Each structure stands twice: as C-alpha cells, then as structure tokens.
C-alpha cells in the first residue's frame, strides 16, 4: 500500500482535493466539489495524473450531485470514494492550502490549536479566503482525527522580502499596530516553478535570478533571487498589482475617495467594483476570461483587444520594475492558465521587453499550450520559460516532509 498525502484546497463554495503519492510524485485520485452551500452542488472525481483545470473541460468528468451540499458533505463523499477504492488507508497526512499567514507563518507548519488560532487572527487580512480554509481544516481534523494536518501558506514564501520592498509609505504605526504591509500571494506556485526552472536550466536554485508571473484569474509577478522572494506585485490583499480577470490591480488610491463621493458608495461598495467588476471584465465590458477575449479580439472586437493590451502592457511594466530588486535577470518564468496557454498574451508581453534581452521565438511560443512547456525565446535571447505550475504537488511534498514520510 502506498503512503499518500491528501491535499485540500478549500474555498468558500468549493473544495478541491488531490490524493498524491509523494515518492512517485503522481496524483492517484483528485476531485472538485463545487457550488457548496448553493443549489446544484456537485462533486467530480478523476483518476491518475490530472492536467490542471481539466475538471472544467467537457468529456473528462465523473460528476455526481452532492447530497447535503456543504463542506462536510464534500469531505464525506471524498472519504466514501477513498473507501470504495481501497485508498483510505493509504492517506498518511493531510495538507491544506491556507491563503494568508500574515507575518507569523514564514514556512509550512504542522497544525495544532495555536496554529488554528493564528490562522483565525489572519482572517481579517483575507476575509474571503481564510475562513473557508479554516472550515476545510476543521472538517478534515474531524474526519482524519489521527493524522497529521499541515498548513501551507500562499504568503509565507514572500516573508523573505526586505523592508524596503514590503513597507508602504504610510505612517509606520499602521504597520506596527495593524499589519499594513505588502504580503504577496501565489507563493506555493512560485516555489514550485522556480525549482522546476532551475532544473530545466541546469543551475543550482541558489544561483538564479528570476522574474516570475503567475497569470490566472488572479495575476501577480515576483522577483526571486536564489529561490527567495525579494519583491512582488500583490500587496496587503490580492487586489494590488497587475490587471486581473475582475480585479483592477494598481490604481490611484485617490480613486477610492473620489468614487465614494461621486457615486455615493460606501468603502465596501467601491471595493466591490475594484474586486469584481474591474480588470479584463471592466475594460472589455464583455468577459473576465482571457480565452474569450482573444476570440472576440480576433473577430474584431476593439474593446477586447484593448483590455488584453492593457493587461500585457501593465504586466511588462511590472516585470521590468521587478528586475530592480534582482540586479540582473537570468530568465522570465510564466505560469497559470494564461501564462501556460495564451501565446497571444505572452507575445504581447515579451515583445515589449526586448531591452531586457528577451526575443520571442514565435514558433516555440505558438507550440507552448495545453500542458506543453518549455523555452519560448530564441537561442540568443535571455530565456523565457513556460512552466506548468502544480500547487497541489508542492503542498503534498511539504506535507510529506513535515509528516516524516519519505518524499
Ligand atoms: P487559472 O485561474 O490559472 O485557471 O487561469 C484562468 C485563465 O486562463 C482564464 O482567463 C482563461 O481564459 C485562461 N486560459 C485558459 N486556457 C487558455 C487558452 N488556451 N488560451 C488563452 N487563455 C486561456
């Protein structure tokens, strides 16, 4: 019997899981429970190595309605499935994704009562995410009471940033008393892709200097020197930085007060506009989805094209700015749904960065899609690499290590 890690990524209305053998680094079973707490909740299972996002692709689903429709029901269904398939005894530890670990969590930890209390305290910094993550942890602790439970934080990777990168120019008392600073996100993904890139380039991670962009519905970019984050675009919350699917990214903070008085909106009302109605969706007035916008742009929709141009220009600007924190650049790394699949956006970004020594290889760029990864710049150019991220695998590897399982 294999020794496996159950990885849980719990959102407010979804629960994604993966059963991973950390020795072979293979996914044995994975699944996604969706629409939790709403009508029509369902759970999807998939065997074997799963390309990311395949749950939403037609033709690959083993879907059933989820009786009860909440997080506990999802966990019950996962356990029942593991039992049915004789896999339950293979689970030796549970690894949880936790979005915000504040300044307390600088690395992955085994969960105990004091860790739970600290994650709870960090909820005010991530009110949409941490409570859902805690729900997943508490449910798993009930169902797998005898197993070690481990928390892997999106923020902890960025705890290596120097003060000059993480402090905002606001009164220091706001930092000291209220924790107002840049935290950064997508850290688990950055850790995974930087070690893969070092392998691909045949360089020790400690000797690398990368700018990495994780481009999905949320998008950020990070400067990583010697495997350590030195600066990143997301801030106190995941709203700062690049243009995203529905999030504005950087704006003049004066806009918040201006909209409040012009539109008679509360702060919560303005934040709702910036988080849910802005970004690609707000600019295109069509969709937050990059693929849909590309299709519309190629059919002549000017607003869709402009939205993608703004997304790409702003990202290129951030990539160039982040090199200041590195002092040099060895490679640009791209990941996430857009980074891994959109040759259009990649070209639009890299063609603006010739002055950094990046020159796109159009054929290689066109070939990198649907899980195909590799170098997309010419031989004379500084490398730009497309790398498929795997946050679940990273969580499984961390959990195996802390649970004392060979990995
Ligand atoms: P993620 O949050 O990492 O799942 O990424 C979601 C984003 O990736 C959405 O904007 C998708 O439109 C985009 N995406 C996925 N596949 C493609 C594709 N083949 N071409 C362009 N964008 C894509």
């Amino acid at each position: 019997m294999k020794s496996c890690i159950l990885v849980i990524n719990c959102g407010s209305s979804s629960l994604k899981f993966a059963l991973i053998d950390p020795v072979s680094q293979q996914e044995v079973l994975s699944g996604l429970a969706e629409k939790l707490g709403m009508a029509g909740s369902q759970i999807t299972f998939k065997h074997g190595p799963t390309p990311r996002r395949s749950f939403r692709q037609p033709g690959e689903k083993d879907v059933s309605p989820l009786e009860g429709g909440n997080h506990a029901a999802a966990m019950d269904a996962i356990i029942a499935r593991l039992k049915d398939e004789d896999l339950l005894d293979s689970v030796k530890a549970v690894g949880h994704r936790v979005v915000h670990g504040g300044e307390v969590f600088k690395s992955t930890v085994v969960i105990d009562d004091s860790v739970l209390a600290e994650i709870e305290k960090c909820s005010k910094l991530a009110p949409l995410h941490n409570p859902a993550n805690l729900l997943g942890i508490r449910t798993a602790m009930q169902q797998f009471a005898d197993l070690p439970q481990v928390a892997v934080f999106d923020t902890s990777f960025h705890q290596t940033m120097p003060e000059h990168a993480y402090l905002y120019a606001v009164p220091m008392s706001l930092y000291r008393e209220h924790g107002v600073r840049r935290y950064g996100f997508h850290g688990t993904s950055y850790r995974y892709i930087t070690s893969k890139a070092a392998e691909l380039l045949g360089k020790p991670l400690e000797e690398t200097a990368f700018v990495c962009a994780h481009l999905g519905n949320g998008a950020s970019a990070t400067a990583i020197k010697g495997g350590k984050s030195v600066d990143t675009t997301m801030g106190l919350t995941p709203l700062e930085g690049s243009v995203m699917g529905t999030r504005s990214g950087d704006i003049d903070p004066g806009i918040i007060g201006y909209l409040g008085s012009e539109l008679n909106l509360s702060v919560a009302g303005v934040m709702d506009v910036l988080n849910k109605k802005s970004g690609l969706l707000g600019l295109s007035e069509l969709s937050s989805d990059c693929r849909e916008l590309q299709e519309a742009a190629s059919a002549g929709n000017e607003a869709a094209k402009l939205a993608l141009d703004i997304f790409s220009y702003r990202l290129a600007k951030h990539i160039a700015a982040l090199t200041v924190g590195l002092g040099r650049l060895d490679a640009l790394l791209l990941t996430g749904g857009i980074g891994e699949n959109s040759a259009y956006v990649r070209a639009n970004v890299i063609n603006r960065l010739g002055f950094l020594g990046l020159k796109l290889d159009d054929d290689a760029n066109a070939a990198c899609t649907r899980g195909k990864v590799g170098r997309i710049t010419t031989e004379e150019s500084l490398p730009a690499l497309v790398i498929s991220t795997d946050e679940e695998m990273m969580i499984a590897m961390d959990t195996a290590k802390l649970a004392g399982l060979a990995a």
Side-chain angles (χ1 to χ4, degrees):
M1 161 96 34
K2 287 176 179 168
S3 293
C4 290
I5 307 295
L6 182 64
V7 175
I8 306 280
N9 182 350
C10 197
S12 54
S13 64
S14 69
L15 192 159
K16 202 169 156 195
F17 87 92
L19 184 69
I20 292 177
D21 172 0
V23 175
S24 64
Q25 298 194 14
Q26 288 292 310
E27 234 169 53
V28 181
L29 181 74
S30 53
L32 173 69
E34 293 173 280
K35 298 193 178 171
L36 300 177
M38 303 174 204
S41 54
Q42 59 178 37
I43 188 158
T44 308
F45 291 100
K46 185 157 187 351
H47 279 104
T50 313
R52 291 173 72 243
R53 291 173 289 282
S54 65
F55 292 109
R56 292 200 167 81
Q57 284 168 18
E60 294 186 20
K61 293 181 178 176
D62 163 7
V63 196
S64 44
L66 187 64
E67 296 290 323
N70 58 17
H71 291 80
M75 198 68 87
D76 282 344
I78 293 165
I79 290 173
R81 185 70 173 235
L82 291 172
K83 245 186 218 157
D84 275 358
E85 305 211 8
D86 257 345
L87 288 168
L88 193 58
D89 291 340
S90 75
V91 182
K92 303 297 181 213
V94 186
H96 297 269
R97 175 192 182 207
V98 180
V99 167
H100 218 306
E103 285 192 319
V104 179
F105 297 109
K106 300 194 187 307
S107 58
T108 298
V109 292
V110 176
I111 301 171
D112 58 17
D113 286 345
S114 67
V115 168
L116 280 177
E118 287 296 341
I119 297 175
E120 189 112 49
K121 275 193 210 161
C122 294
S123 285
K124 64 179 177 194
L125 294 167
L128 297 178
H129 295 99
N130 273 30
N133 301 154
L134 275 168
L135 187 60
I137 294 173
R138 293 206 165 101
T139 312
M141 284 177 107
Q142 276 167 9
Q143 310 268 27
F144 294 97
D146 299 330
L147 297 185
Q149 312 266 338
V150 166
V152 182
F153 300 89
D154 284 18
T155 47
S156 62
F157 178 67
H158 299 290
Q159 283 294 305
T160 49
M161 283 188 290
E163 279 177 323
H164 61 250
Y166 73 68
L167 285 175
Y168 292 113
V170 295
M172 280 300 279
S173 58
L174 295 181
Y175 168 58
R176 281 193 306 269
E177 289 156 32
H178 301 283
V180 173
R181 54 159 284 178
R182 178 182 307 287
Y183 289 96
F185 299 87
H186 291 139
T188 311
S189 171
Y190 288 129
R191 257 196 309 142
Y192 184 83
I193 65 163
T194 43
S195 64
K196 287 278 163 202
E199 262 173 54
L200 273 172
L201 295 170
K203 255 187 152 183
L205 183 61
E206 296 68 34
E207 291 171 19
T208 57
F210 297 137
V211 172
C212 308
H214 179 114
L215 311 174
N217 286 318
S220 71
T222 297
I224 301 172
K225 195 168 192 178
K228 294 185 170 27
S229 170
V230 294
D231 201 355
T232 191
T233 56
M234 282 181 169
L236 175 81
T237 71
L239 179 57
E240 191 182 350
S242 284
V243 176
M244 308 181 213
T246 62
R247 283 174 247 166
S248 62
D250 296 341
I251 56 160
D252 174 356
I255 292 174
I256 297 170
Y258 179 75
L259 286 185
S261 56
E262 276 294 293
L263 303 178
N264 199 20
L265 280 177
S266 63
V267 172
V270 177
M271 296 320 285
D272 194 60
V273 172
L274 298 178
N275 272 305
K276 299 189 183 148
K277 298 177 183 155
S278 299
L280 293 174
L281 174 66
L283 287 165
S284 67
E285 301 183 305
L286 181 68
S287 170
S288 62
D289 188 276
C290 176
R291 196 172 1 189
E292 280 179 35
L293 292 179
Q294 275 176 219
E295 283 161 11
S298 56
N301 183 316
E302 286 300 323
K305 184 177 176 306
L306 180 63
L308 291 170
D309 277 351
I310 295 172
F311 179 98
S312 306
Y313 171 74
R314 284 265 296 273
L315 178 65
K317 200 164 105 170
H318 279 129
I319 290 168
L322 285 166
T323 60
V324 173
L326 293 175
R328 69 169 208 276
L329 182 63
D330 293 343
L332 171 67
L333 314 182
L334 299 166
T335 195
I338 298 172
E340 291 169 40
N341 293 294
S342 176
Y344 181 96
V345 168
R346 291 190 306 239
N348 205 338
V349 173
I350 290 175
N351 288 337
R352 296 174 194 274
L353 293 171
F355 65 93
L356 286 180
L358 288 158
K359 173 132 184 44
L360 195 70
D361 177 330
D362 291 317
D363 293 337
N365 184 37
C368 271
T369 181
R370 294 179 172 272
K372 194 173 170 304
V373 298
R375 183 175 173 136
I376 55 167
T377 43
T378 62
E379 265 177 39
E380 321 76 74
S381 162
L382 202 72
L385 306 176
V386 173
I387 298 184
S388 211
T389 195
D390 194 340
E391 287 151 297
E392 283 77 22
M393 185 62 66
M394 195 76 245
I395 294 172
M397 303 300 281
D398 273 12
T399 305
K401 214 183 271 171
L402 285 199
L405 301 170

